[in-house]
């Protein structure tokens, strides 16, 4: 929900304030107001660094002014330290290079003796175990060799451990760093000389002259003034991806998957850097690098030879310039330095306002290696509640209790499976969260119990702003305990405007405040809540209607004396965490939470799902959802979706149908709509659209075992759920920028229809030397192949990759909860070599018992016309495992479908528990598109068994 979209009608109190009324009415227009948000030129620190880059590049022979202080380099354990100074400023900077066992390299920079402490809490919020247990290398496994190369003193650090080896070379004068792969630089720091570090300093005795627009000590934007009491403290670094042409990630932006150039590019390039600064942007604009709701400063570079990454761990406002350098030395305008012999490269320039420079270089060399290295730092996406992978029905707002139960009944009446119905802010008593509007919801517990009768859940929105009301228990307790964010004076509470009117914001940097807010989600505090109710965190960028850029003033104060500028991009994640903690601890033993958050940062994946915010019911937004979903997955935010149907506006039946057909392939699948839109629940469209949408949703539910198994993989490896094509086909260059098709895991390719034509022709590129099968007809396509398909509105293009085994549950139920004891169907899509493999993972979908071994995980293989099921190596013979195995003892495989056998078998022999039995087969299809069906092999999912075909 957006700060501006319904401001006049949602709070009568807001209308009483002339100070913001003009803002309200001006922004009802359906387009982003660019003047509300800064450009780089209006962000003083960004402008200073970009100007510095321009000046450096006007003199291409000018070297970086930073060099290593003589005899300051030392290697102690896993850390190399060095002092680096500016040639004029002479303020020593402490460089720390820490080497991790995975091959990742950590680079930290701050003053050796800072005038004041810099904010360095981001690592405690983001990293695994607050950064205390990162897997650094053993000291004896690394060595440093110092020498001179081309007259420059260098230090090369090498490491080898099993299959992992790397080397890093640091030059002293000017200072630069290269990460070498096979002896060639893959990632380079300061190779273009753009490193700049604004050391902390005393404010000059005299005020700067009026014409000084540097904004070092005070910065104005429209009617707001940022007092900047600490002065300038920003820093920037150029990072070159040598030998690469494509970079990805750094969400959230409504921009293409392969990041565009922001300086020196040609037609279609941007003239502004990508910005990371969590903001509530009304009617965001497509194909634009401006900041949106979330910020993940993780960038991957990919070529046919390797994949590498950079994680820039900083929670302050950050800007990133991108420029491509073609092979042969034809540089872009920004980075016009080098020789004609240089390979292609992507040059980036990272700039942050405050804090400590803390960078992780992730050397790969493959995408799976990068995700393993990143997951070691920030932890992967944990297993979610199983119901959360189903369909979520939402709008702003279901009017009352009767409306909620009517929607529930209609969904069941029309045989549309769903798991969750959602309530937006109108369900509360005057926007006082943790309350109900009693006249509209007279018995919330009975309502939740009625939903739960068929396995359905409720999600309520709980935003971070707290209405200022002395009679409101939540506000009163927070105020009395001093839990709110403070003004710049550090003593009075910061207040601003949001949905309830005059509001305060809890300071989640304060551990006691965070614990207190978590407790508000407990059953004894959240009146008339039940364990079947979950939570949606909206507006947590934070959105402040009357603040600069619709957010909190940067000089506001947080616990510990830190300014909001230091913590802005982790604010929403801290609230997300506090909410998830509250749901975890509201019952004993703890159960897995479900929390959806609009704002996020690196690490937010640990606490729940996110979505792409307030999109629009237009075909262009349907198309844009694909790169936005993929970019988030590239950056480790796997559990992500987009509002199906578009939040703003009224989709026609064709657009809404196509959006459902795509939306079932979002990891998080929710339909949502603005309060001013027409009701658009699927049955309201009539036929044939109801059937098309119901079929799509049923397909999601049929594949829930596959989805849940994928999330298990992500929880172990960090690999994305929704994957750009290049991740699965890393050597096929034509796919490096592809966003018209994508993979779900390694097994399913989705080619969505996103054009406004009921009948259209779509060209599909089937990659690699492999078989592909239409998942509906099982028609075979032998790649590499380019093929055109004619589609009507009932048709979708989804293909199973040869060599895949995909588990499903075919019985239609009204919710995932009612499927828990249903039998499974196993689909075997045979590769060109006659083989296939896959997994099936099952646990209770609710508790943390799986951490004690209470799960079933089977490795399924097909080779030599034999399907085999064996326990995964992670299966342990524990009490918890055996208890769960007994609970699932009667859950069986009711059908096996083998697709792609050229020689049709007539008999299957099942071997289980040492006993063999024979089954006659059904066979359908043609010699090239065969489908062999083994009906009721009567094998159980928890045991070892073989099925041989002959």
């Amino acid at each position: 929900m957006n700060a501006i979209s319904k401001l006049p009608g949602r709070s009568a109190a807001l209308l009483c304030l002339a100070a913001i009324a003009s803002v309200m009415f001006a922004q009802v227009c359906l387009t982003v107001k660019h003047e509300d948000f800064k450009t780089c030129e209006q962000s003083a620190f960004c402008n200073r660094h970009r100007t510095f880059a321009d000046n450096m590049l006007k003199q291409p022979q000018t070297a970086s002014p930073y060099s290593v202080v003589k005899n300051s380099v030392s290697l102690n354990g896993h850390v190399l330290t060095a002092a680096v100074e500016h040639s004029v400023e002479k303020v020593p900077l402490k460089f720390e290079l820490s080497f991790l066992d995975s091959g990742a390299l950590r680079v930290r920079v701050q003053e050796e003796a800072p005038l004041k402490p810099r904010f360095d809490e981001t690592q405690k919020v983001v990293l695994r175990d607050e950064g205390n247990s990162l897997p650094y290398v053993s000291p004896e496994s690394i060595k440093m060799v110092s020498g001179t190369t081309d007259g420059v003193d260098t230090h090369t650090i090498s490491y080898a451990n099993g299959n992992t080896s790397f080397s890093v070379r640091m030059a002293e004068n000017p200072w630069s760093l290269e990460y070498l792969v096979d002896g060639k630089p893959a990632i380079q720091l300061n190779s273009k000389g753009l490193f700049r570090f604004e050391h902390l300093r005393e404010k000059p005795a005299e005020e700067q002259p009026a014409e000084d627009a540097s904004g070092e000590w005070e910065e104005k934007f429209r009617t707001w003034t940022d007092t900047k009491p600490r002065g300038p403290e920003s820093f920037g670094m150029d990072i070159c991806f040598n030998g690469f042409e494509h970079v990805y990630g750094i969400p959230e932006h409504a921009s293409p998957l392969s990041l565009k150039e922001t300086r020196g590019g040609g037609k279609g390039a941007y003239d502004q850097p990508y910005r990371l600064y969590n903001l509530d942007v009304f009617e965001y604009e497509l194909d634009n690098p401006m900041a949106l709701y979330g910020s993940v400063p993780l960038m991957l570079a990919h070529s046919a030879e390797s994949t590498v990454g950079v994680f820039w761990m900083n929670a302050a406002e950050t800007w990133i310039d991108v420029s491509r350098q073609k092979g042969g030395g034809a540089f872009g305008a920004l980075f016009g330095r080098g020789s004609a012999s240089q390979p292609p490269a992507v040059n980036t320039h990272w700039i942050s306002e405050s804090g400590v420079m803390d960078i992780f270089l992730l050397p790969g060399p493959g995408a799976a290696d990068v995700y393993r290295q990143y997951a070691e730092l920030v932890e992967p996406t944990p297993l979610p509640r199983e119901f959360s992978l189903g369909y979520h029905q939402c709008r702003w707002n279901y009017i009352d209790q009767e409306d909620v139960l009517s929607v529930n009944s209609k969904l069941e009446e029309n045989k549309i499976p769903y798991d969750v119905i959602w309530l937006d802010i109108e369900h509360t008593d005057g926007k006082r969260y943790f309350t109900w509007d009693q006249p509209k919801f007279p018995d919330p517990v009975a309502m939740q119990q009625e939903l739960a009768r068929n396995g359905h859940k409720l999600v309520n929105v709980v935003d971070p702003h707290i209405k200022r009301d002395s009679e409101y228990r939540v506000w009163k307790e927070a105020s009395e305990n001093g839990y709110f964010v403070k003004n710049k004076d550090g003593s009075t509470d910061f207040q601003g405007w949001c949905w309830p009117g005059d509001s305060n914001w809890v300071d989640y940097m304060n551990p006691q405040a965070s614990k207190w807010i978590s407790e508000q989600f407990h059953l004894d505090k959240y009146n008339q809540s039940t364990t079947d109710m979950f939570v949606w965190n909206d507006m947590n960028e934070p959105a402040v209607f009357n603040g600069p850029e619709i957010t909190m003033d940067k000089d506001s104060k947080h616990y510990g004396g830190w300014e909001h500028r230091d913590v802005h991009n982790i604010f929403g994640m801290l609230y997300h965490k506090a909410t998830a903690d509250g749901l975890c601890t509201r019952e004993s033993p703890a159960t897995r939470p479900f929390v959806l958050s609009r704002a996020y940062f690196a690490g937010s994946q640990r606490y729940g799902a996110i979505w792409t915010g307030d999109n629009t019911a237009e075909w262009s937004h349907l198309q844009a959802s694909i790169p936005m979903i993929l970019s988030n997955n590239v950056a480790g935010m796997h559990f992500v979706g987009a509002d199906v149907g578009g939040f703003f506006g009224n989709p026609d039946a064709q657009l809404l149908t196509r959006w459902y057909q795509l939306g079932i392939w979002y990891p998080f699948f929710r339909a949502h709509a603005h309060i001013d839109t027409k009701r658009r629940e699927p049955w309201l469209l009539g036929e044939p659209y109801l059937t098309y949408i119901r079929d799509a949703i049923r397909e999601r539910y049929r594949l829930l075992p596959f989805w849940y198994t994928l999330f298990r993989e992500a929880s172990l490896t960090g690999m994305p759920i929704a994957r750009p094509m290049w991740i699965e086909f890393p050597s096929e260059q034509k796919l490096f920028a592809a966003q018209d098709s994508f993979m779900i895991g390694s097994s399913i390719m989705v080619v969505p229809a996103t054009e406004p034509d009921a009948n259209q022709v779509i060209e599909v590129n089937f990659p690699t030397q492999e078989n592909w099968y239409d998942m509906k007809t099982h028609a075979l396509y032998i790649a590499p192949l380019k093929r055109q398909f004619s589609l009507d509105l009932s048709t979708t293009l989804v293909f199973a990759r040869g060599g895949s085994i995909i588990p499903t549950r075919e019985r239609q139920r009204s919710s995932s909860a009612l499927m828990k004891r249903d039998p499974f169907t196993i689909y075997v899509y045979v590769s060109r070599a006659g083989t296939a493999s896959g997994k099936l993972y099952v646990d209770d979908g609710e508790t943390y018992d799986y951490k004690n071994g209470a799960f079933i995980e089977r490795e399924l293989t097909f080779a030599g016309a034999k399907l085999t099921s064996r326990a995964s190596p992670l299966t342990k013979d524990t009490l918890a495992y055996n208890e769960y195995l007994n609970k699932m003892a009667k859950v069986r495989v009711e059908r096996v479908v083998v697709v792609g056998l050229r020689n049709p078998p007539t008999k299957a022999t099942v071997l289980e528990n040492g006993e063999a039995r024979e089954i006659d087969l059904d066979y359908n299809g043609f010699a090239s598109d065969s489908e062999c069906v083994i009906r009721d092999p009567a094998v159980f999912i928890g045991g070892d068994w073989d099925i041989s075909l002959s």
Side-chain angles (χ1 to χ4, degrees):
M1 184 191 314
N2 187 275
I4 305 303
S5 53
K6 185 61 179 175
L7 192 52
R10 298 199 62 173
S11 177
L14 294 176
L15 293 176
C16 299
L17 292 183
I20 63 172
S22 60
V23 175
M24 288 185 326
F25 292 114
Q27 295 199 2
V28 170
C29 58
L30 296 183
T31 182
V32 63
K33 285 192 66 180
H34 288 279
E35 62 270 27
D36 282 346
F37 305 102
K38 291 182 180 180
T39 63
C40 179
E41 291 75 20
Q42 294 169 310
S43 181
F45 77 94
C46 180
N47 190 48
R48 293 196 299 271
H49 284 270
R50 254 194 165 195
T51 300
F52 171 74
D54 289 339
N55 292 336
M56 287 292 292
L57 296 170
K58 287 176 183 176
Q59 305 174 56
Q61 303 307 313
T62 301
S64 168
Y66 290 90
S67 60
V68 175
V69 175
K70 194 74 171 175
N71 299 322
S72 68
V73 177
S74 65
L75 179 63
N76 296 298
H78 63 265
V79 181
L80 180 145
T81 58
V84 174
E85 280 187 347
H86 189 280
S87 58
V88 176
E89 295 170 349
K90 298 294 184 182
V91 175
L93 303 175
K94 182 180 181 180
F95 275 62
E96 292 181 314
L97 278 61
S98 301
F99 301 90
L100 283 85
D101 197 56
S102 64
L105 173 65
R106 186 179 190 179
V107 181
R108 282 173 55 86
V109 185
Q110 61 179 318
E111 297 93 337
E112 276 196 349
L115 191 64
K116 306 170 185 175
R118 284 180 173 264
F119 180 73
D120 199 17
E121 303 292 305
T122 303
Q123 60 179 327
K124 295 182 180 180
V125 173
V126 172
L127 295 180
R128 180 193 298 269
D129 190 27
E130 298 186 348
N132 295 320
S133 58
L134 295 184
Y136 291 110
V137 301
S138 59
E140 60 272 14
S141 61
I142 59 175
K143 63 179 181 179
M144 180 172 71
V145 176
S146 301
T148 302
T149 303
D150 297 329
V152 178
D153 291 337
T154 61
H155 308 274
T156 302
I157 303 90
S158 301
Y159 165 73
N161 180 16
N163 295 326
T164 303
S165 63
F166 64 78
S167 58
V168 174
R169 183 166 58 214
M170 184 178 74
E172 287 200 359
N173 189 10
W175 177 85
S176 65
L177 192 73
E178 297 179 316
Y179 199 115
L180 306 175
V181 176
D182 296 328
K184 298 178 182 179
I187 309 174
Q188 298 171 303
L189 274 60
N190 203 35
S191 61
K192 312 305 175 189
L194 304 187
F195 171 65
R196 184 170 185 257
F197 198 96
E198 294 182 332
H199 63 271
L200 292 162
R201 65 203 71 186
E202 296 287 357
K203 188 173 183 179
E206 296 183 5
E207 294 293 329
Q208 297 183 58
E211 64 271 13
D212 181 2
S214 67
E216 290 183 332
W217 293 94
E218 183 178 275
E219 184 174 350
K220 296 182 183 297
F221 177 67
R222 302 187 69 183
T223 61
W224 295 276
T225 298
D226 178 1
T227 58
K228 293 192 170 182
R230 293 168 59 90
E233 52 179 328
S234 67
F235 45 81
M237 176 78 80
D238 61 272
I239 301 176
C240 173
F241 297 95
N242 205 41
F244 298 89
E245 297 183 58
H246 294 273
V247 289
Y248 314 88
I250 59 168
E252 185 176 38
H253 305 96
S255 61
L257 172 66
S258 179
L259 300 178
K260 286 189 171 185
E261 291 183 276
T262 62
R263 300 191 75 180
K267 184 178 180 181
Y270 299 143
D271 61 3
Q272 289 290 310
Y274 286 90
R275 190 186 188 196
L276 296 178
Y277 192 62
N278 295 355
L279 292 171
D280 178 10
V281 180
F282 174 78
E283 283 280 331
Y284 59 77
E285 191 172 87
L286 301 183
D287 197 14
N288 193 310
M290 70 187 298
L292 292 178
Y293 312 98
S295 300
V296 183
L298 173 67
M299 180 182 286
L300 271 67
H302 176 72
S303 72
E305 288 73 39
S306 66
T307 307
V308 299
V310 165
F311 175 40
W312 178 277
M313 191 174 65
N314 188 280
E317 180 184 353
T318 297
W319 300 78
I320 306 156
D321 265 316
V322 177
S323 182
R324 286 179 172 80
Q325 165 192 322
K326 296 182 179 179
F331 280 26
L334 173 58
F335 300 115
R337 305 153 73 91
S339 68
S341 62
Q342 288 192 329
V346 179
N347 299 289
T348 62
H349 186 196
W350 300 66
I351 307 162
S352 288
E353 184 174 18
S354 66
V356 172
M357 182 180 286
D358 204 344
I359 312 169
F360 289 88
L361 308 184
L362 310 175
D369 301 301
V370 171
Y371 287 115
R372 173 176 51 83
Q373 291 154 1
Y374 183 62
E376 283 183 351
L377 303 177
V378 301
E379 300 182 34
T381 301
L383 274 169
R385 284 290 284 259
E386 192 170 21
F387 78 78
S388 65
L389 301 185
Y391 171 51
H392 299 250
Q393 183 69 55
C394 181
R395 75 172 279 111
W396 173 24
N397 203 88
Y398 287 117
I399 299 170
D400 53 25
Q401 186 165 327
E402 182 181 356
D403 193 14
V404 169
L405 296 179
S406 172
V407 171
N408 171 67
S409 296
K410 280 291 188 181
L411 284 161
E412 294 192 345
E413 176 186 325
N414 287 279
K415 295 181 169 52
I416 299 171
Y418 90 100
D419 266 81
V420 190
I421 195 164
W422 293 53
L423 291 177
D424 212 318
I425 59 176
E426 309 301 337
H427 81 275
T428 62
D429 176 13
K431 316 304 186 293
R432 297 169 181 86
Y433 301 108
F434 308 102
T435 70
W436 302 83
D437 184 339
Q438 271 328 128
K440 292 181 178 178
F441 296 89
D443 194 344
V445 172
M447 178 181 70
Q448 292 168 71
Q449 290 172 342
E450 174 60 22
L451 295 175
R453 191 168 57 83
N454 282 325
H456 304 304
K457 313 293 184 184
L458 181 72
V459 166
N460 279 4
V461 73
V462 182
D463 290 348
H465 44 266
I466 307 296
K467 181 180 178 67
R468 289 176 58 84
D469 177 356
S470 60
E471 300 300 315
Y472 174 29
R473 178 191 63 80
V474 176
W475 180 86
K476 186 178 180 181
E477 286 185 15
S479 179
E480 290 174 350
N481 286 285
Y483 289 157
F484 290 131
V485 177
K486 306 303 178 186
N487 286 312
K488 61 187 177 183
D489 60 15
S491 58
T492 58
D493 291 342
F494 171 86
Q495 63 187 78
W497 284 81
C498 209
W499 295 130
D502 201 5
S503 303
N504 298 115
W505 279 257
V506 172
D507 183 1
Y508 309 109
M509 290 296 294
N510 180 341
Q512 291 303 312
S514 187
K515 180 176 182 292
W516 171 83
I517 201 70
S518 293
E519 292 169 350
Q520 304 313 303
F521 294 98
H522 290 182
L523 301 179
D524 61 337
K525 295 289 181 69
Y526 196 149
N527 189 34
Q528 297 177 294
S529 66
T530 73
T531 55
D532 289 308
M533 194 198 80
F534 297 85
V535 179
W536 169 18
N537 293 159
D538 200 358
M539 315 298 287
N540 55 333
E541 294 75 25
V544 181
F545 292 171
N546 60 334
E549 300 193 273
I550 325 296
T551 192
M552 192 173 285
D553 300 70
K554 285 185 174 181
D555 53 7
S556 300
K557 288 289 182 66
H558 287 265
Y559 180 83
W562 300 113
E563 292 183 279
H564 185 70
R565 81 181 74 251
D566 300 313
V567 308
H568 178 84
N569 283 343
I570 57 174
F571 181 91
M573 179 173 74
L574 290 172
Y575 182 44
H576 198 184
K577 177 183 185 299
T579 305
D581 288 347
L583 296 185
C584 278
T585 56
R586 70 181 175 180
E587 54 184 318
S588 182
T591 55
R592 290 176 244 173
F594 172 74
V595 185
L596 178 72
S597 175
R598 191 171 71 175
Y600 56 95
F601 191 71
S604 288
Q605 75 279 352
R606 301 192 293 260
Y607 310 120
I610 61 166
W611 90 106
T612 62
D614 298 344
N615 57 1
T616 302
E618 295 175 355
W619 289 93
S620 59
H621 278 257
L622 172 67
Q623 296 155 8
S625 72
I626 300 171
M628 293 181 77
I629 297 289
L630 295 178
S631 292
N632 273 293
N633 267 263
V634 164
M637 297 303 302
H638 304 141
F639 200 4
V640 58
D643 285 345
V644 170
F647 179 66
F648 293 110
N650 295 300
D652 60 28
Q654 181 184 333
L655 173 57
L656 189 56
T657 300
R658 286 301 191 198
W659 214 317
Y660 271 97
Q661 290 170 343
L662 171 58
I664 66 168
W665 302 107
Y666 298 155
F668 172 60
F669 174 35
R670 181 184 76 154
H672 186 37
H674 187 278
I675 196 170
D676 286 338
T677 62
K678 298 176 182 177
R679 294 291 284 258
R680 59 170 86 146
E681 287 77 16
W683 59 88
L684 297 175
L685 277 66
E687 294 293 357
Y689 309 106
L690 170 59
T691 294
Y692 298 158
I693 291 171
R694 178 171 52 221
D695 287 348
I697 297 173
R698 284 180 170 182
E699 181 71 357
R700 172 70 170 216
Y701 277 79
R702 189 179 76 90
L703 286 165
L704 280 182
F706 170 73
W707 280 101
Y708 198 60
T709 301
L710 265 184
F711 270 86
R712 165 68 168 181
E713 177 191 350
S715 75
L716 298 174
T717 67
M719 283 291 285
I721 302 289
R723 300 176 186 175
M725 297 298 290
W726 63 262
I727 289 183
E728 287 300 315
F729 308 100
S731 62
E732 300 206 18
Q733 296 191 23
K734 66 179 180 294
L735 299 177
F736 288 0
Q739 57 186 41
D740 55 356
S741 60
F742 58 93
M743 299 292 294
I744 300 299
S746 61
S747 301
I748 294 176
M749 179 172 68
V750 180
V751 187
T754 59
E755 295 293 336
D757 297 307
N759 299 288
Q760 54 187 284
V761 176
I762 294 180
E763 185 172 86
V764 178
N765 287 292
F766 293 96
T768 197
Q769 301 285 331
E770 191 49 88
N771 292 346
W772 292 88
Y773 301 91
D774 185 299
M775 285 190 64
K776 185 172 291 186
T777 67
H778 291 166
L780 169 66
Y781 303 94
I782 301 175
L785 174 69
K786 185 180 290 186
R787 171 75 179 267
Q788 289 187 335
F789 293 83
S790 297
L791 276 70
D792 61 24
L793 198 56
S794 68
T795 311
T796 59
L797 296 176
V798 182
F799 303 93
R801 184 180 184 177
S804 302
I805 296 179
I806 297 175
T808 69
R809 275 175 158 154
E810 302 288 322
R811 301 184 183 187
Q812 291 300 325
R813 307 291 189 187
S814 63
S815 71
S816 65
L818 301 183
M819 300 169 67
K820 284 187 178 294
R821 296 294 186 270
D822 280 354
F824 289 86
T825 294
I826 305 296
Y827 284 84
V828 180
Y829 295 96
V830 179
S831 72
R832 195 171 299 185
T835 61
S837 63
K839 287 187 177 182
L840 170 63
Y841 176 83
V842 185
D843 64 26
D844 66 19
E846 297 178 6
T847 72
Y848 290 99
D849 289 351
Y850 71 91
K851 292 188 175 182
N852 298 320
F855 61 82
I856 294 170
E857 187 169 38
R858 309 301 298 179
E859 293 190 341
L860 305 171
T861 58
F862 183 83
K866 182 170 70 174
L867 177 63
T868 300
S869 173
R870 296 291 184 269
S872 81
L874 296 176
T875 303
K876 305 300 179 186
D877 189 13
T878 64
L879 177 63
Y881 169 71
N882 285 295
E883 288 179 347
Y884 183 68
L885 196 62
N886 288 335
K887 289 179 182 178
M888 301 294 286
K890 294 184 179 180
V891 179
R892 72 187 197 282
V893 176
E894 70 173 348
R895 194 168 59 143
V896 173
V897 182
V898 184
V899 184
L901 289 175
R902 294 184 178 277
N903 298 311
T906 59
K907 181 176 65 176
T909 301
V910 178
L911 180 64
E912 185 180 26
N913 297 325
E915 298 182 1
R917 59 184 182 277
E918 292 186 356
I919 301 176
D920 291 332
L921 304 180
D922 287 341
Y923 177 74
N924 299 299
F926 303 95
S928 60
D929 297 307
S930 58
E931 177 184 291
C932 164
V933 181
I934 307 167
R935 298 189 186 279
D936 198 14
V939 293
F940 295 96
I941 63 167
D944 292 351
W945 46 260
D946 300 336
I947 301 177
S948 300
L949 302 177
S950 59

